Amino acid sequence: MTSVADAVAVAERLSAQFGAQASDRDAARDLPRAQVRTLKESGLLQLSVPTDHGGVDAPAAVVAEVFRLLAHADPSLAQIPQSHFAFLEALRLQGTPDQQAFFYGLVRSGALFANAQSERGPHPLDVDTTTLTLTDPGDYVLSGRKFYSTGALFADWLIVRASVADESGAEPTSATAKALAFIPSDAIGLEVVDDWDGMGQRTTASGTVILDEVPVPAAHVVAFSPIFGEPTVYGAHAQLLHAAIDVGIATGALAEGVVQVTKARPHFEARVASAADDPTLIQVAGELVVTVRGAQALLAEAARQVDAARADLTADSAASASVAVAIAKVAAVRAALEASTVLFELGGTRSASGSGNLSRYWRDARTHTLHDATRWKLQHIGRYTLTGTPPPRHGLL
């Protein structure tokens, strides 16, 4: 991978290649091991590696389009590297020069990072019970359990968000400092369980990660909490890629709807030979195109604002980028859900056949769009618009 232009061309080629068997993989829950291997070999995983570390340092606009193209073909496959790029951003913001050189070098060699962040339980979302405990002579052990660890089965390195235990041994709270522990997939005490059973995004391998006193060198621990102490585009960049996945689902469902309408029988009252000439379906298709193209345009605009904020980072530019991404995410969610539903209107009764597996578009859309509540994004958008109140700094906005 040598240029931004190469990246889009490679993503277009892989989109066509990955889309060919995406439905079969979903139906059988056949994990895309070969496809992930191809993705690693393509060079796309190093897109956001800085140029001074031998990477492309592609703008967010390009990375977002790459994710949209992959999700257009296979949303599960597109979601697998999402956290990989989020952690590259964390490394850029908080990694030491030695850490950056080491981990960026791994990525340039084709390594895939995957997340182990989410936890279940009654504790608040911003509390990690998984802990990093300091040991002599200054290294750590890591213990805990993580869920929804997308792509963990395919990863060369797992990135685990954990609370840094203090000397008192007190239970972690939301105020406890957090860090990212970079763990090789063959680490002692690490177990990845293939237990993801979602109705959609079925082949993301978003299973459980169990950590039993995993040894972690201090050189593999990157501070996480400081990212949110000052303006950054960390959250905006991460959410931009989620929005790109939703837009990809929408464009994929729209394209499939165009195919299905050629197979549909026209309604008898339309008195036309082809369903594509039914004026009511023409109206439906036109409305859907406006929704989907609008989401695409808002995604591109949000990406431009992320790039602009990174080039001239201030509290105002970071806030503006976060709000632009929130707007794009709301539009992307609506487009994905609408396109994956209207697909069946365009295809008619036969499109509901189980053998066609067209439900995967809606199942993928409904599952992925549950990640972050758009109702809260609308709250932040509204406050920013009416009173100029900046959005909170966290990884979900």
Side-chain angles (χ1 to χ4, degrees), residues 269-327:
E269 290 181 283
R271 300 185 182 279
V272 293
S274 168
D277 293 323
D278 181 335
T280 61
L281 283 184
I282 291 172
Q283 178 76 17
V284 167
E287 295 283 0
L288 180 59
V289 169
V290 171
T291 298
V292 174
R293 293 286 180 84
Q296 279 187 270
L298 287 170
L299 177 69
E301 171 58 22
R304 284 192 292 269
Q305 292 215 33
V306 169
D307 287 327
R310 181 174 286 161
D312 183 17
L313 189 60
T314 65
D316 288 342
S317 66
S320 180
S322 289
V323 170
V325 172
I327 292 169

Side-chain angles (χ1 to χ4, degrees), residues 18-248:
F18 293 162
Q21 301 298 322
S23 179
D24 292 342
R25 287 193 297 273
D26 170 86
R29 197 178 178 272
D30 181 14
L31 298 181
R33 298 184 188 277
Q35 289 74 22
V36 171
R37 188 162 53 248
T38 298
L39 182 62
K40 291 180 181 181
E41 294 168 352
S42 73
L44 289 177
L45 294 180
Q46 62 173 294
L47 266 183
S48 60
V49 171
T51 53
D52 56 359
H53 287 279
V56 177
D57 202 11
V62 171
V63 178
E65 177 61 7
V66 165
F67 269 78
R68 186 200 68 79
L69 285 165
L70 295 177
H72 180 96
D74 185 343
S76 288
L77 188 53
Q79 192 181 342
I80 289 166
Q82 189 275 337
S83 60
H84 171 94
F85 283 88
F87 294 133
L88 289 182
E89 182 70 9
L91 191 63
R92 185 181 71 83
L93 292 169
Q94 286 296 318
T96 67
D98 285 346
Q99 288 173 328
Q100 291 174 346
F102 179 70
F103 288 112
Y104 285 146
L106 291 176
V107 172
R108 288 186 59 223
S109 298
L112 171 67
F113 298 159
N115 90 92
Q117 297 186 90
S118 299
E119 296 187 6
R120 289 176 181 164
H123 52 274
L125 187 62
D126 61 352
V127 174
D128 283 308
T129 62
T130 298
T131 55
L132 269 169
T133 304
L134 191 65
T135 60
D136 191 52
D139 293 332
Y140 297 85
V141 292
L142 177 66
S143 294
R145 182 180 290 255
K146 297 289 188 175
F147 301 89
Y148 312 124
S149 303
T150 300
L153 284 172
F154 310 116
D156 300 290
W157 286 72
L158 280 179
I159 318 302
V160 183
R161 190 184 65 200
S163 294
V164 181
D166 61 24
E167 294 180 357
S168 70
E171 290 292 319
T173 69
S174 58
T176 303
K178 298 180 181 65
L180 299 176
F182 286 61
I183 311 295
S185 59
D186 60 355
I188 296 171
L190 170 66
E191 181 183 1
V192 180
V193 184
D194 182 15
D195 59 356
W196 168 241
D197 65 350
M199 68 174 181
Q201 298 295 87
R202 285 165 49 84
T203 61
T204 58
S206 300
T208 299
V209 169
I210 301 170
L211 305 140
D212 183 12
E213 296 191 346
V214 178
V216 186
H220 293 176
V221 176
V222 175
F224 186 68
S225 295
I227 290 174
F228 307 104
E230 56 187 27
T232 72
V233 293
Y234 177 83
H237 187 267
Q239 284 293 299
L240 180 74
L241 303 185
H242 279 305
I245 293 169
D246 291 335
V247 174

